[in-house]
Amino acid sequence: MNTEMYQTPMEVAVYQLHNFNISFFSSLLGGDVVSVKLDNSASGASVVAIDNKIEQAMDLVKNHLMYAVREEVEILKEQIRELVEKNSQLERENTLLKTLASPEQLEKFQSRLSPEEPASETPEAPEAPGGSAV
């Protein structure tokens, strides 16, 4: 089995499910799953035993997948928390910089960002005689 290209346990398990084989389920159960011999004289008990083994294997796969999904969800939640925190920090810095910048600096900055649009977010400050803002 070539699982080097898969990076998470969930991807490996999905790959293994797509490429279903008895040895995979045997390794999951840690025993000799295929020890039941199938022939025309197989009793109903052996069929039930096989069904039980398959059900156990499927439950084990389901549990493994659920664990892998939960683990992945926790990682993603943490990444989201970090990104939200970083975004808030950047918004605060942006607001601070806008309040500290002069209208001329804001206008110059806005013209660099979008030369085709006029600077619409620039606060209008009344100008005193001599061209300086009050």
Side-chain angles (χ1 to χ4, degrees):
M1 175 177 67
N2 182 14
T3 59
E4 295 86 36
M5 64 183 159
Y6 301 105
Q7 299 188 2
T8 65
M10 183 171 56
E11 290 173 337
V12 172
V14 169
Y15 170 81
Q16 290 170 333
L17 278 176
H18 282 286
N19 298 293
F20 172 80
N21 61 41
I22 295 297
S23 63
F24 165 65
F25 285 112
S26 177
S27 67
L28 282 177
L29 292 174
D32 192 13
V33 174
V34 266
S35 62
V36 178
K37 186 176 180 183
L38 293 177
D39 59 18
N40 290 339
S41 64
S43 68
S46 66
V47 172
V48 170
I50 292 171
D51 287 346
N52 288 339
K53 293 291 185 180
I54 291 172
E55 189 174 332
Q56 287 175 353
M58 293 303 289
D59 286 343
L60 195 57
V61 170
K62 178 182 141 192
N63 290 337
H64 176 73
L65 285 174
M66 291 301 293
Y67 174 79
V69 167
R70 284 187 195 109
E71 189 175 282
E72 193 72 22
V73 165
E74 287 303 315
I75 290 169
L76 292 173
K77 281 182 180 179
E78 181 60 31
Q79 288 176 346
I80 289 170
R81 275 192 291 271
E82 290 171 3
L83 289 171
V84 165
E85 185 178 309
K86 180 72 172 175
N87 187 41
S88 296
Q89 177 188 354
L90 290 172
E91 285 177 351
R92 286 190 304 269
E93 288 177 11
N94 188 31
T95 302
L96 177 65
L97 290 172
K98 281 182 179 180
T99 59
L100 295 175
S102 70
E104 293 83 19
Q105 289 171 324
L106 285 173
E107 209 172 290
K108 189 175 182 182
F109 179 72
Q110 288 293 336
S111 67
R112 286 185 184 172
L113 286 180
S114 54
E116 67 277 353
E117 297 176 14
S120 60
E121 292 186 25
T122 307
E124 296 296 327
E127 291 192 19
S132 64
V134 178

